[in-house]
Amino acid sequence: MARVQHLSPEAYERLRAEFEDLTTRGRIEIARKIESARELGDLSENGDYHAAKEEQGKMEGRIRHLESMIENATIVEAAGDGSVVTTGSVVTIRYDGEDETESYLIGSIEERRDGLPVISPGSPLGAALLGGAVGDRVTYEAPSGGLEVEITEIES
C-alpha cells in the first residue's frame, strides 16, 4: 500500500500540472526523438537512440512517481498562527549543545522552496517536531543514537 502524501494545495496543483504535461507533450516529444534516432540506421550503435530510450525510461519513472503521489495525496491547508509545528511549517531548531540554529520545512520533498532543506513528517525528527511549540525540547532516535533539539522559531 502506498504511503499518504501530505501536500499543500500549491504543491498538489504543481505536481498535477507536471503529470499532465509529461503524459501529453512529454510522451509525444520523446516519441519523436526516438523516431528521429531510428531513422539514423543501426540501432545497436546508435547513441541518439539509446539516449532517447534512457530519457523515456526516466520520464516514465517520474510519471509513475507523480501518479502515485497524486493518487495518495492528502491536501493540507497551512495551519494558522504558527504556534505549533505542522506539515507546511518552517521550523528553526537548535541541536543540544550547539549555538547555531537550522531551519527546515516540514513536509514532502515536493514542497521544497526557498532553498530550505525538507524534513518529512514521517521521519524520526519530523514526527518528534510535529505538534511542538517554541521552547519545546524534543528527542528523536537517529542512527547514531538519541538526539535532542529545541524549537526556537515556527513560521506557518
Side-chain angles (χ1 to χ4, degrees):
M1 183 171 169
R3 205 178 78 179
V4 173
Q5 295 290 323
H6 297 274
L7 298 171
S8 68
E10 298 82 19
Y12 178 80
E13 286 305 317
R14 185 173 29 81
L15 294 176
R16 221 174 50 71
E18 181 184 355
F19 176 79
E20 184 69 26
D21 180 58
L22 290 177
T23 56
T24 55
R25 183 205 54 81
R27 282 182 171 157
I28 292 168
E29 186 177 295
I30 198 69
R32 285 186 183 139
K33 284 183 182 180
I34 291 170
E35 185 59 32
S36 294
R38 277 189 178 146
E39 292 172 359
L40 296 176
D42 183 14
L43 298 182
S44 66
E45 295 183 19
N46 186 329
D48 290 344
Y49 175 78
H50 293 290
K53 290 297 282 185
E54 183 176 333
E55 184 179 344
Q56 180 186 38
K58 288 178 181 178
M59 184 182 73
E60 289 300 326
R62 178 67 177 164
I63 288 170
R64 284 190 303 277
H65 178 72
L66 290 170
E67 185 175 38
S68 175
M69 288 186 70
I70 291 167
E71 286 176 358
N72 298 296
T74 297
I75 308 301
V76 178
E77 296 295 330
D81 61 3
S83 62
V84 296
V85 177
T86 61
T87 300
S89 296
V90 174
V91 61
T92 303
I93 60 173
R94 179 178 309 123
Y95 285 91
D96 193 33
E98 298 285 327
D99 293 331
E100 299 288 320
T101 61
E102 297 177 13
S103 295
Y104 298 95
L105 173 66
I106 305 295
S108 164
I109 192 69
E110 299 295 343
E111 297 281 349
R112 64 188 173 272
R113 64 173 188 252
D114 302 330
L116 284 170
V118 178
I119 295 177
S120 167
S123 70
L125 177 56
L129 290 169
L130 285 176
V134 172
D136 285 356
R137 298 179 75 76
V138 298
T139 303
Y140 71 101
E141 196 62 35
S144 60
L147 292 176
E148 187 174 291
V149 297
E150 177 185 359
I151 301 171
T152 62
E153 185 179 349
I154 302 168
E155 299 172 43
S156 41

